Amino acid sequence: MTDGVHALAPPRGGLLKRIVPRLTPSAALLALPILGFLAFFFFYPAINLLLFSLLTQDAKGVVGRPFTLAHYIRFFEVDLYFRVFWNTLRISLITSALAIVLGYPVAIVMSRSGAMVMRIITLIVIAPLIVSVVVRSYGWQLILVNSPNGLLNWLLMSLGIIGSPLAILYSQTAVIIGSLHVFFPMMVLPLASALGKIDPNLEDSARTLGAPWWKVFTRITLPLSLPGLVAGFTLVFSLTAGSFVTPVILGGTTATMLGNLIEQQIFVVYDWPFGAAIAVVLVFVVFAINTVSMRLLEGRRLRSVQR
Amino acid sequence: MSGRLSGPGAWALYFITAMMMVFILAPLIVVIAMSVSDSYFVSFPPQGFTLRWYVKILQDRDFLDALRLSALLALCTTIGSLLLGVPAAIALTRGNFVGQDFLKGLVLSPLIFPALVTGLALMQLLAGLGFTDARFNLLIGHIVVTVPYVIRAVVTSLMLVDLNLEDAARTLGAGRLRTFWRITLPQIAPGVAAGSLFAFMVSFDNYPVTMWLANSEYSPVPLVLMRQLVNVFDPSVPAMSTVIIILAVIGVLILERLVGLRRAATV
């Protein structure tokens, strides 16, 4: 497992099985620097944050004991906060669902086309990935502006399709559009790589045997590309749930998400324990989605082995 | 060739794909178009053609300082991520010890953790320790989020290295370090380069970690741009955005030269 390529080499016999001792347990030492670094700057602060969310902040802003679950209770009891939680889940779910529906056609075309088309599509899908989220959300702001000065309204009004400007900006719809744009590559890339591994003969023979396209898709393409689908869904959902920039630029005050709430609690309200509690809720949401997806894939693999 | 798309369904697929390509490119093209608009407000349609917004931002101290800071930060982040990530990748591929898969999960875990929370937790720690130099804090935070990319890229290319070459070098008397330097490194160079470039770009664009660790004195490009979005309404904002888009396009082209886009995408 550790040296997959090596396993393909012809086996060496007897005493000379390993002519050169490979780096084995001592190689673990090479991982010590990164482990130390992450332990101190990632794992420790993360656990600390969890602890913080269970502490009390007094009137002077000093955080300390007693331990309490009050912040979590407040979060789920106060309608305002709970709505932000619900909005975050909704926006993430709709964004990832749209990414699946629109990602499949793109990934299928990508994996079944000639080299040239594939290259162009890959380039277009990947290029924006590296452009700052701030720039991309700003681009959508320019398109969706609620006055006749926005691209979309200007276009639709010039064509006479609408009489008065649409008000899409500063709504959840705008955040979903922006998030879909920002995280679309995270769906297409795993999907395309999963689709690329499917033997085209399978689909061809199904078609020759008279299966209509939807049956070919649901019985062959979909099940075989499920790992890519689940990976893409998990990525898009987690990243959307944790976003901050897109809801600020495109959502305004109507589409506040968990990330914005955390920032407000820390930078504006200075309520550290409550901010930490919301952060823990966000982490929990992301972990839950990851765990469910992994279970889903493992369960499937197990079933196919038993069969 | 089999597996090619055909029939009426194929046209639907091509149509949706084309629409999505427009969807992906539209906001970027709009930004670029507005950056040369000869008007005092960003409004559609753009008017005339001018480069004066570029002249304006190239005299804007805040923007230039931010560019310099972001470039330097991304460079230091990349070096730090390489120093920590390459040895880790070797341990993960060449080692043979208990808990290797667990270790892999650990070092890649910053990838699935919400970056916003990573930044918040780190800010809390560093503030508690009295670390007030935003440049240092940003460097630490950026290494945490970029090092998994370097590890993943280097692990992938280490798996493809011909181990017999390493064996041969060792039997011929080369030490471990020399073997790595002369035999292994040249073979994994594209992976290391791709990982470095990815780390550089992720650091350059990072917002969710940066927002916690920067201060008013040291603000990287994304933060400055975000501030401008709220306060400035002339086309200098699209001009700054266009500069960022151009830098990204250069990055993508280098990436394609180095490793090919399909492979880079799996990084």
Side-chain angles (χ1 to χ4, degrees), chain A residues 118-179:
Chain A
M118 189 155 112
R119 219 172 129 93
I120 294 170
I121 298 179
T122 314
L123 194 73
I124 296 178
V125 169
I126 292 180
L129 192 63
I130 299 161
V131 176
S132 167
V133 180
V134 182
V135 173
R136 288 191 280 166
S137 302
Y138 177 61
W140 279 108
Q141 194 182 41
L142 295 183
I143 292 177
L144 299 176
V145 173
N146 291 339
S147 70
N149 298 332
L151 169 65
L152 189 67
N153 280 328
W154 174 78
L155 205 66
L156 292 177
M157 287 172 84
S158 315
L159 293 173
I161 296 173
I162 51 168
S164 53
L166 301 172
I168 302 177
L169 190 62
Y170 305 129
S171 69
Q172 294 195 11
T173 312
V175 178
I176 290 168
I177 293 174
S179 306

Side-chain angles (χ1 to χ4, degrees), chain B residues 36 51 100 117 120 162 165 231:
Chain B
V36 292
L51 288 176
Q100 207 163 6
V117 182
L120 170 63
D162 185 352
L165 289 178
N231 301 324

Side-chain angles (χ1 to χ4, degrees), chain A residues 243-291:
Chain A
S243 54
F244 172 82
V245 173
T246 312
V248 167
I249 297 181
L250 298 173
T253 49
T254 58
T256 310
M257 291 174 73
L258 285 176
N260 311 100
L261 202 57
I262 297 170
E263 193 250 7
Q264 276 168 25
Q265 290 303 317
I266 303 292
F267 280 157
V268 183
V269 188
Y270 298 112
D271 191 341
W272 272 86
F274 190 50
I278 306 169
V280 173
V281 171
L282 173 59
V283 171
F284 184 78
V285 167
V286 169
F287 275 22
I289 280 291
N290 275 280
T291 315

Side-chain angles (χ1 to χ4, degrees), chain A residues 2 5 23 52 130 149 181, chain B residues 24 44 94 100 124 159 205:
Chain A
T2 48
V5 177
L23 288 170
F52 230 70
I130 299 161
N149 298 332
H181 184 263
Chain B
I24 291 172
F44 228 83
R94 294 292 184 270
Q100 207 163 6
Q124 192 199 10
M159 307 254 252
D205 287 337

Side-chain angles (χ1 to χ4, degrees), chain A residues 2-3 5-6 9 12 19-28 30-31 33-35 37-38 40-46 48-49 52 102 105-106 108-110 112-114 118-119 121-128 130-132 134-136 138-143 148-151 154 177 180-181 184 189 192-193 200-201 204 207 242 244-245 248-249 259 262-263 266-267 272 275-276 279 282-283 286-287 290, chain B residues 2-5 13-14 16-17 20-21 23-28 30-31 34 42-45 84-85 87-88 90-97 100-101 103 106-107 109-110 112-114 116-118 120-126 129 131 136 140 143-144 147 151 159-164 166-167 170-171 176 198 201 205 207 211-212 222 225-226 229 234 237-238 241 244-245 248 252-253 255-256 261-262 265-266:
Chain A
T2 48
D3 38 12
V5 177
H6 190 64
R12 285 170 251 195
I19 302 170
V20 186
R22 197 157 325 282
L23 288 170
T24 39
S26 64
L30 288 171
I34 183 72
L35 272 183
F37 182 84
L38 288 181
F40 192 69
F41 291 118
F42 180 63
F43 298 115
Y44 170 66
N48 216 15
L49 195 73
F52 230 70
L102 296 165
V106 176
I108 290 173
V109 170
M110 209 164 139
R112 300 275 186 278
S113 302
M118 189 155 112
R119 219 172 129 93
I121 298 179
T122 314
L123 194 73
I124 296 178
V125 169
I126 292 180
I130 299 161
V131 176
S132 167
V134 182
V135 173
R136 288 191 280 166
Y138 177 61
W140 279 108
Q141 194 182 41
L142 295 183
I143 292 177
N149 298 332
L151 169 65
W154 174 78
I177 293 174
L180 179 65
H181 184 263
F184 190 64
L189 296 174
S193 109
N201 292 324
D204 279 354
R207 225 169 282 131
F244 172 82
V245 173
V248 167
I249 297 181
I262 297 170
E263 193 250 7
I266 303 292
F267 280 157
W272 272 86
L282 173 59
V283 171
V286 169
F287 275 22
N290 275 280
Chain B
S2 60
R4 278 295 178 85
L5 295 166
L13 290 180
Y14 280 123
I16 297 175
T17 304
M20 285 314 287
M21 297 300 112
F23 175 81
I24 291 172
L25 292 177
L28 305 179
V30 169
V31 165
M34 293 314 305
V42 179
S43 82
F44 228 83
L84 289 167
I90 295 172
L92 287 173
T93 45
R94 294 292 184 270
N96 186 7
F97 49 88
Q100 207 163 6
D101 285 341
L103 179 72
L106 276 187
V107 296
S109 58
I112 56 160
F113 206 77
L116 191 98
V117 182
T118 307
L120 170 63
L122 192 58
M123 172 178 86
Q124 192 199 10
L125 173 84
L126 295 172
L129 292 173
F131 286 15
F136 175 80
I140 298 286
I143 292 177
V144 172
V147 80
I151 294 177
M159 307 254 252
L160 301 172
V161 166
D162 185 352
L163 284 172
N164 290 321
E166 282 181 17
D167 281 354
R170 293 299 305 282
T171 13
R176 272 180 189 164
F198 236 75
M201 292 187 294
D205 287 337
Y207 196 97
M211 65 185 258
W212 302 107
L225 193 68
M226 191 78 162
L229 281 188
D234 69 28
V237 180
S241 307
I244 294 169
I245 294 173
V252 169
L253 292 179
L255 205 59
E256 201 202 17
L261 275 180
R262 281 309 286 265
T266 57

Side-chain angles (χ1 to χ4, degrees), chain B residues 89 104 108 111 147-157 265-267:
Chain B
K104 193 170 180 181
L108 294 182
L111 281 180
V147 80
Y149 292 101
V150 172
I151 294 177
R152 224 160 46 170
V154 179
V155 162
T156 311
S157 45
T266 57
V267 170

Side-chain angles (χ1 to χ4, degrees), chain B residues 14-253:
Chain B
Y14 280 123
F15 178 73
I16 297 175
T17 304
M19 292 304 287
M20 285 314 287
M21 297 300 112
V22 173
F23 175 81
I24 291 172
L25 292 177
L28 305 179
I29 291 170
V30 169
V31 165
I32 297 171
M34 293 314 305
S35 74
V36 292
S37 173
D38 196 2
S39 58
Y40 287 96
F41 291 98
V42 179
S43 82
F44 228 83
Q47 275 143 21
F49 179 88
T50 180
L51 288 176
R52 72 185 146 112
W53 304 114
Y54 288 93
V55 176
K56 185 186 167 194
I57 61 167
L58 289 178
Q59 290 163 349
D60 181 344
R61 279 229 72 89
D62 281 353
F63 183 62
L64 292 182
D65 284 348
L67 266 184
R68 203 171 305 126
L69 174 68
S70 282
L72 195 67
L73 176 63
L75 187 69
C76 295
T77 300
T78 307
I79 294 169
S81 285
L82 282 177
L83 289 177
L84 289 167
V86 174
I90 295 172
L92 287 173
T93 45
R94 294 292 184 270
N96 186 7
F97 49 88
V98 183
Q100 207 163 6
D101 285 341
F102 180 66
L103 179 72
K104 193 170 180 181
L106 276 187
V107 296
L108 294 182
S109 58
L111 281 180
I112 56 160
F113 206 77
L116 191 98
V117 182
T118 307
L120 170 63
L122 192 58
M123 172 178 86
Q124 192 199 10
L125 173 84
L126 295 172
L129 292 173
F131 286 15
T132 49
D133 190 339
R135 289 172 296 181
F136 175 80
N137 297 352
L138 282 168
L139 177 62
I140 298 286
H142 281 207
I143 292 177
V144 172
V145 287
T146 57
V147 80
Y149 292 101
V150 172
I151 294 177
R152 224 160 46 170
V154 179
V155 162
T156 311
S157 45
L158 272 171
M159 307 254 252
L160 301 172
V161 166
D162 185 352
L163 284 172
N164 290 321
L165 289 178
E166 282 181 17
D167 281 354
R170 293 299 305 282
T171 13
L172 292 172
R176 272 180 189 164
L177 211 58
R178 196 174 149 89
T179 307
F180 176 76
W181 200 251
R182 300 292 296 274
I183 305 295
T184 316
L185 195 59
Q187 293 185 79
I188 63 169
V192 173
S196 309
L197 199 64
F198 236 75
F200 189 94
M201 292 187 294
V202 168
S203 163
F204 197 86
D205 287 337
N206 182 284
Y207 196 97
V209 170
T210 308
M211 65 185 258
W212 302 107
L213 303 172
N215 58 19
S216 52
E217 194 182 350
Y218 296 108
S219 287
V221 172
L223 291 199
V224 168
L225 193 68
M226 191 78 162
R227 225 176 286 149
Q228 299 279 322
L229 281 188
V230 187
N231 301 324
V232 182
F233 299 97
D234 69 28
S236 65
V237 180
M240 286 180 190
S241 307
T242 305
V243 170
I244 294 169
I245 294 173
I246 291 169
L247 291 175
V249 170
I250 294 173
V252 169
L253 292 179

Side-chain angles (χ1 to χ4, degrees), chain A residues 59-79:
Chain A
K60 285 182 200 148
V62 179
V63 178
R65 287 181 202 196
F67 287 106
T68 173
L69 282 172
H71 310 300
Y72 292 96
I73 295 170
R74 183 169 149 219
F75 180 78
F76 286 104
E77 263 182 2
V78 176
D79 190 47

